[in-house]
Amino acid sequence: MKRIVPVMVHHETGEKAQAAGKKNQEYLKYCIAQAKKYNEKVVLLGDEFNKEWADEWYPANDFITDKWKEFHSVFENYSTYPQAWAEGIFKRFFLILEYLERNGFEECVIIDSDVLVYLDVSEYEPFRHCKVAAETPLYQDLDMLPPGNALQWKTCAGFSYFTKQGLIEFTDFCIDMYRNHKEELMVKWDVHRKYGLYGGVCEMSLLDLFVETLPEGEYLNLLQDDQNNCVFDNSVGESSGYLEQQYEYIKRLRVKNLQWEDGRPFCYTNEGRQKTYFLNLHFVDITKIFMEGVYKDQRYSAHGKFVTYMLILRGRLADIKHGNTKWQQRLKYNKARRTNS
């Protein structure tokens, strides 16, 4: 029998509008449809507003467990993010673990709902040799601080692979860190508070700390090319991958300069112009507006380009209003450093 690895998506947002203003965050439809092109089993743990968008849909809250309630009881928000969001970004790992337990699966791939997939995950050979696979960039400094601070703590599960045992261990790790080792998390949060920096401790932070505890060979970094010059994308809206400014980039749109060959997206690296195929595309933040055009026509649509210009302007104004631009963050850092010196 063919080895089946389910592709798992968790999405609960009700009728909240997406970046371009459409209700129900319609980009989720393209995420599910694209994953179905390549994969036999795609599962959506969602809400009543998206139940028609997946052949295999379940109410997310049906998978709430005592383990999730235990995490809720020990969780504290060490970030500038709203409380509900800061806790909710951990939820899918607990829900998906329960789905695997109930349905007898020993592994899965987890994708964000703004990801397009271009491979059959059940056939991806590197997954057979690890416990966890996710996306860890080489550069891990907080930009506002002196070089070498290594306080980014960033490992992204936007496209990730977990064995069931890996999910058990990661969820156990999250509970243990918030219950017994909060002082370790405060190392990062204290810096954010001291210098007024946006962000803090999130699920990427805990995943980054977790994969550092795994024995050699149990973690696969999906941002590093495989033997076929294929790699996984952590953000269409960034020129970076494993390395900073790694790929060709369209600055006016703030997106990678994607090209296509036989239905597969690729991009050239800036150094050496290495042709690199992407096995997924991740449309973070305002780049979600491009998902429909890329899914249907393999291109950045004209409408998406226009809306992007408007959203970039609006986002820039919002960042200025809330003091989140790089120069404002730098001012906060310098002011705090003078105050504390």
Side-chain angles (χ1 to χ4, degrees):
M1 294 178 62
K2 179 184 177 182
R3 166 179 177 256
I4 300 297
V5 178
V7 177
M8 305 296 303
V9 184
H10 170 232
H11 192 92
E12 296 178 89
T13 57
E15 291 188 289
K16 181 181 177 181
Q18 67 190 62
K22 295 180 180 179
K23 284 188 176 182
N24 298 343
Q25 302 197 331
E26 291 186 7
Y27 57 84
L28 173 63
K29 292 192 298 185
Y30 307 115
C31 168
I32 299 295
Q34 180 67 27
K36 287 287 290 182
K37 286 183 180 180
Y38 289 86
N39 295 275
E40 184 173 333
K41 192 171 188 67
V42 180
V43 180
L44 172 61
L45 306 183
D47 56 34
E48 61 179 298
F49 298 100
N50 54 45
K51 66 185 300 182
E52 303 301 324
W53 294 353
D55 295 333
E56 191 166 349
W57 170 93
Y58 302 94
N61 286 333
D62 283 3
F63 294 87
I64 294 291
T65 61
D66 289 341
K67 192 173 189 180
W68 167 250
K69 294 175 183 177
E70 184 180 3
F71 175 80
H72 172 75
S73 71
V74 298
F75 174 79
E76 291 187 33
N77 185 8
Y78 300 139
S79 76
T80 59
Y81 311 129
Q83 174 73 21
W85 190 87
E87 181 180 357
I89 53 182
F90 290 90
K91 186 177 180 182
R92 61 178 168 174
F93 303 104
F94 293 83
L95 301 182
I96 291 170
L97 173 58
E98 178 63 11
Y99 176 89
L100 299 185
E101 294 274 13
R102 290 186 193 179
N103 293 279
F105 288 102
E106 294 297 323
E107 58 191 330
C108 69
V109 160
I110 300 174
I111 63 172
D112 282 0
S113 53
D114 52 4
V115 166
L116 297 180
V117 174
Y118 294 88
L119 82 160
D120 181 347
V121 301
S122 300
E123 298 292 335
Y124 192 62
E125 199 271 341
F127 289 157
R128 302 174 188 268
H129 310 289
C130 65
K131 181 182 287 184
V132 176
E135 302 164 338
T136 306
L138 177 63
Y139 183 74
Q140 290 287 341
D141 281 356
L142 287 174
D143 288 333
M144 300 303 117
L145 304 182
N149 62 80
L151 282 171
Q152 188 75 256
W153 295 9
K154 182 179 181 180
T155 292
C156 180
F159 188 109
S160 54
Y161 167 85
F162 284 85
T163 61
K164 185 174 73 174
Q165 184 60 34
L167 267 181
I168 291 172
E169 292 178 15
F170 176 54
T171 49
D172 286 345
F173 179 84
C174 291
I175 292 171
D176 181 58
M177 290 298 290
Y178 279 102
R179 171 176 284 148
N180 301 313
H181 303 286
K182 290 178 180 177
E183 71 283 356
E184 294 184 35
L185 304 180
M186 294 298 290
V187 170
K188 178 174 173 62
W189 178 223
D190 282 346
V191 169
H192 284 263
R193 290 192 299 177
K194 180 178 180 180
Y195 297 115
L197 304 180
Y198 181 73
V201 177
C202 63
E203 92 289 7
M204 289 189 290
S205 312
L206 272 291
L207 185 56
D208 190 66
L209 294 175
F210 171 68
V211 299
E212 289 181 0
T213 70
L214 295 177
E216 185 176 355
E218 290 191 0
Y219 176 61
L220 174 66
N221 189 349
L222 298 178
L223 293 186
Q224 295 181 291
D225 294 15
D226 65 19
Q227 61 183 1
N228 297 315
N229 288 327
C230 295
V231 74
F232 291 82
D233 172 52
N234 62 334
S235 177
V236 168
E238 296 180 9
S239 62
S240 62
Y242 178 65
L243 304 174
E244 291 285 286
Q245 299 179 358
Q246 186 170 0
Y247 300 104
E248 290 185 348
Y249 192 67
I250 305 174
K251 290 184 179 180
R252 68 182 184 278
L253 295 179
R254 298 186 184 179
V255 290
K256 286 185 173 75
N257 185 20
L258 295 176
Q259 300 182 56
W260 300 84
E261 183 176 273
D262 298 327
R264 302 170 64 199
F266 69 90
C267 196
Y268 288 105
T269 60
N270 284 316
E271 184 175 343
R273 211 163 188 272
Q274 172 68 50
K275 186 177 184 180
T276 304
Y277 290 93
F278 288 111
L279 299 175
N280 77 300
L281 297 173
H282 193 171
F283 294 83
V284 179
D285 199 22
I286 65 173
T287 60
K288 290 176 177 61
I289 188 61
F290 290 120
M291 277 188 73
E292 181 178 2
V294 169
Y295 168 76
K296 292 181 176 179
D297 303 314
Q298 298 179 3
R299 64 182 179 86
Y300 298 126
S301 68
H303 170 71
K305 292 176 182 178
F306 173 77
V307 173
T308 295
Y309 294 141
M310 298 299 103
L311 291 175
I312 288 173
L313 175 60
R314 188 176 73 178
R316 185 68 173 174
L317 293 174
D319 283 342
I320 293 172
K321 177 181 178 181
H322 297 291
N324 291 330
T325 62
K326 285 188 176 182
W327 64 269
Q328 287 172 312
Q329 294 274 287
R330 176 65 68 183
L331 287 175
K332 289 180 184 179
Y333 168 73
N334 289 334
K335 181 179 179 181
R337 188 175 61 176
R338 289 194 298 270
T339 301
N340 291 292
S341 63

